Amino acid sequence: SGYYCGVQAVVSTQSTGTDELLHIQWTGSNTHNNQPNGGDGQTGDAGEGTGGTDRSNFLEMQGEIENYPTPFESTSFWSKVKSVTQPSASDKDLAVGFMSSGYYCGVKNDGEDVCRSSGDREFDGDNSLNTLLNNAPASYFGHVLEFTDTVTVPYMCSRNNNFSNRSQKGILFVVTPEEAAAVRKKRR
């Protein structure tokens, strides 16, 4: 199942076990009509970025009360996951793909080539990704991830995290299989 980071003003939580797979993906838009009586249940266009668009990304934070992403070198999540959909992807490739909503497919010269087609971009330190993700894909297939260890990862979506009425954050708890079973039992 997909896990959407675009939850506004609420910290969303999700628990999974180290013996489970998790598909992190999202769907955005290039053409929503959020004008009054837009017909899609949402009136207004108060988000960041180009009008009529929705974008998401997935960035680790140090804690759920933070409002900025953690530098890659200080993250704990990426070293504890492997991609089932793209096994050659390194931890940096995964982080760059999720950070950029798929604008970059991986890191240039980071071992194996994870970019599948000649049109895919490899991150090489350039600044071509718009800070509001305007030029990033609206939707991102992401990766099906398997976990190599337990981890708690507070995460954010940077597009609409503008320190006002928007805070797109969540916490992912990756726990032992026994702890995951206990959480599921409690929820019944």
Side-chain angles (χ1 to χ4, degrees):
S1 69
Y3 198 65
Y4 176 61
C5 83
V7 177
Q8 294 185 359
V10 174
V11 174
S12 178
T13 61
Q14 174 74 27
S15 296
T16 191
T18 55
D19 62 339
E20 299 173 318
L21 301 176
L22 180 66
H23 187 187
I24 301 177
Q25 64 180 0
W26 51 84
T27 302
S29 175
N30 285 324
T31 58
H32 71 67
N33 176 11
N34 282 352
Q35 301 306 314
N37 299 317
D40 62 0
Q42 299 179 13
T43 299
D45 196 20
E48 299 295 315
T50 303
T53 66
D54 289 314
R55 297 288 189 276
S56 292
N57 62 354
F58 183 97
L59 298 154
E60 183 175 342
M61 300 182 300
Q62 288 294 313
E64 66 271 9
I65 63 169
E66 303 296 335
N67 281 306
Y68 49 89
T70 302
F72 175 80
E73 296 76 20
S74 300
T75 61
S76 59
F77 181 68
W78 304 110
S79 65
K80 296 180 180 182
V81 297
K82 300 286 182 205
S83 174
V84 173
T85 47
Q86 198 167 13
S88 63
S90 71
D91 54 350
K92 286 183 184 177
D93 293 329
L94 294 172
V96 163
F98 280 100
M99 169 277 298
S100 69
S101 189
Y103 181 82
Y104 298 112
C105 59
V107 177
K108 189 172 188 113
N109 299 322
D110 190 45
E112 289 192 47
D113 179 19
V114 298
C115 296
R116 294 183 176 156
S117 69
S118 59
D120 288 341
R121 290 178 199 84
E122 293 178 307
F123 180 70
D124 61 2
D126 71 47
N127 290 323
S128 61
L129 177 64
N130 178 273
T131 57
L132 296 177
L133 305 174
N134 288 329
N135 59 344
S139 300
Y140 181 51
F141 179 78
H143 291 265
V144 175
L145 301 174
E146 65 179 330
F147 301 94
T148 60
D149 201 356
T150 61
V151 64
T152 298
V153 59
Y155 65 89
M156 65 180 284
C157 176
S158 65
R159 166 92 179 241
N160 286 324
N161 195 33
N162 64 4
F163 310 104
S164 65
N165 65 333
R166 300 190 189 296
S167 183
Q168 297 180 329
K169 300 177 183 180
I171 303 172
L172 175 62
F173 298 96
V174 180
V175 297
T176 66
E178 297 77 23
E179 291 169 318
V183 168
R184 282 191 292 277
K185 188 174 181 178
K186 266 187 184 179
R187 290 183 179 164
R188 289 185 196 163

